[in-house]
Amino acid sequence: MSVLPEPELLLEANINPVTLLATDYLNHFNEVLMLIEMLPSMPECAEDIVSWRPMCYPDYFEQSTFKEKQLAISLYDSVQPQVRDQLESLVHDIDTKIMGLVERIVSVEGEQSGASFDALAFMASTEIRPLIDRVSALINDTASATDWMLAIDHPTAQDEVDRLFD
């Protein structure tokens, strides 16, 4: 896209006029994260989580009901390369963590109980949510203002999950 729409049009479309990205993409991750966090009290959510698949930004909008999805898709090539690279790197990290949790859910298939999912829900809250927050900050062009708050590492979450599944 050679000529960018006016900032007012982008704001009206819920697309950040600086980054040219839409926060609607976060729904792809927030929905599965919510299901993972509900696993201890609702183990039947496991089936929906196992069916989740990673989706890149343009693919998400292709299948979404987002009103301005064609605009969001068309603007993606105009996103500054460093912003797009950072987005794709963070999304890769989120996808990897979620798919790791999916593998663990599948591994306890016969023993689906709230207790068996406590550690997975904890890991989702402490390791995936901060990554989603970083993507949100990037999309909203507030990353530099919030990076120091989002850089907290939670090494004990993975340790706890590993301990339960060893």
Side-chain angles (χ1 to χ4, degrees), residues 83-95 131 135:
V83 172
R84 191 174 49 243
D85 290 348
Q86 190 175 2
L87 174 72
E88 291 173 0
S89 176
L90 288 167
V91 166
H92 176 267
D93 292 347
I94 294 169
D95 289 344
L131 290 172
V135 173

Side-chain angles (χ1 to χ4, degrees), residues 3 48 87:
V3 178
D48 291 328
L87 174 72

Side-chain angles (χ1 to χ4, degrees), residues 21-42:
L21 297 169
T23 56
D24 194 75
Y25 181 52
L26 299 174
N27 291 340
H28 178 58
F29 306 108
N30 286 325
E31 290 168 6
V32 73
L33 178 63
M34 179 186 67
L35 292 172
I36 295 168
E37 291 174 333
M38 291 178 1
L39 270 176
S41 61
M42 296 180 64

Side-chain angles (χ1 to χ4, degrees), residues 102-162:
V102 166
E103 288 174 21
R104 291 188 185 261
I105 291 167
V106 169
S107 76
V108 296
E109 188 64 41
E111 316 162 16
Q112 290 184 357
S113 69
S116 66
F117 293 133
D118 281 341
L120 297 179
F122 177 75
M123 184 176 171
S125 293
T126 60
E127 294 188 13
I128 297 171
R129 185 163 305 285
L131 290 172
I132 294 172
D133 290 344
R134 290 182 66 191
V135 173
S136 177
L138 179 68
I139 289 171
N140 289 309
D141 194 36
T142 59
S144 60
T146 58
D147 272 351
W148 66 272
M149 294 183 287
L150 302 172
I152 300 169
D153 189 18
H154 301 281
T156 59
Q158 182 64 52
D159 294 341
E160 179 67 11
V161 171
D162 291 341

Side-chain angles (χ1 to χ4, degrees), residues 47-66:
E47 188 176 319
D48 291 328
I49 297 164
V50 170
S51 68
W52 184 89
R53 294 293 174 261
M55 255 191 270
C56 68
Y57 186 92
D59 289 350
Y60 170 80
F61 283 103
E62 278 293 331
Q63 61 78 48
S64 85
T65 58
F66 184 65

